[in-house]
Amino acid sequence: MTHGARPLVAGNWKMNGLRESLTEAAAICEAVAAGGAGKAEIVVCPPATMLMATARICEGTKVGLGGQDCHAEASGAFTGDISAEMLKDAGATYVILGHSERRAGHHETDKIVRAKATAAMRAGLAAIICVGETRAARDAGDALSIVGVQLAGSIPEISPPGRIVVAYEPVWAIGTGLTPTRQDIAEMHGFIRDRVNQHLPGQGASMRILYGGSVRPANAAELLWIDDVDGALVGGASLSSAEFMAIAGIYTKSRKD
Ligand code: PEP
């Protein structure tokens, strides 16, 4: 973990969740109020349809809310899209951008991700910018260079300190039960921090860099106590409040426990 950084554990519900899932959000709020996340900041990113209802549940608690994507424009003729300003209006303080499922399924380029991240800055949101290599790229020894290109292209030129979070999510680790080695994660997170410092001078040292990809209660401590890992972006396991809080619960302990 980065010295002095407050860890962040964010749950990406993806396209999952009906109103009945609000009980999971409420259970997360209760667990966090009871100290179940230690010093970690907790953010839930439900589908857009549930943002306002989830915001009502999280209001007055220490659990934050995030969107899963936004449009680069503030408003206009963009049927089906949601702007960063709308997310903010619904109660969000974060937005996930450039998730590999959007890069692959919606052809989102680094340029598009940067435009969206710029919109998030404009709206006063914090952006969780996702980067990560495919299995083929890792096997070819290109993981660092691919992620370097993604970072250079996706991070906005002007970002107020603390408002950009990077999530390293190897595409091949998402939802597969596979994870990189601790050594590979440490190398990648150190690399990301150096690169961020080049793009946003002075911000690399304090920027939170999350790991995402098959984080589960059973491997959370092993993955999240690696140097330069400042929390997690959790997909599948975030759908269960119990599993999500078991992951966040590692921050109730000290590293050497
Ligand atoms: C994700 O999609 O951001 C993710 C990390 O998913 P999972 O935890 O299910 O691998």
Side-chain angles (χ1 to χ4, degrees), residues 66-89:
Q68 297 177 12
D69 178 46
C70 70
H71 196 279
E73 299 296 330
S75 61
F78 302 103
T79 303
D81 282 316
I82 294 172
S83 71
E85 282 77 0
M86 289 170 175
L87 293 177
K88 175 103 177 170
D89 186 52

Side-chain angles (χ1 to χ4, degrees), residues 151-164:
L151 288 170
S154 306
I155 293 182
E157 273 148 28
I158 299 172
S159 313
R163 297 258 300 282
I164 299 282

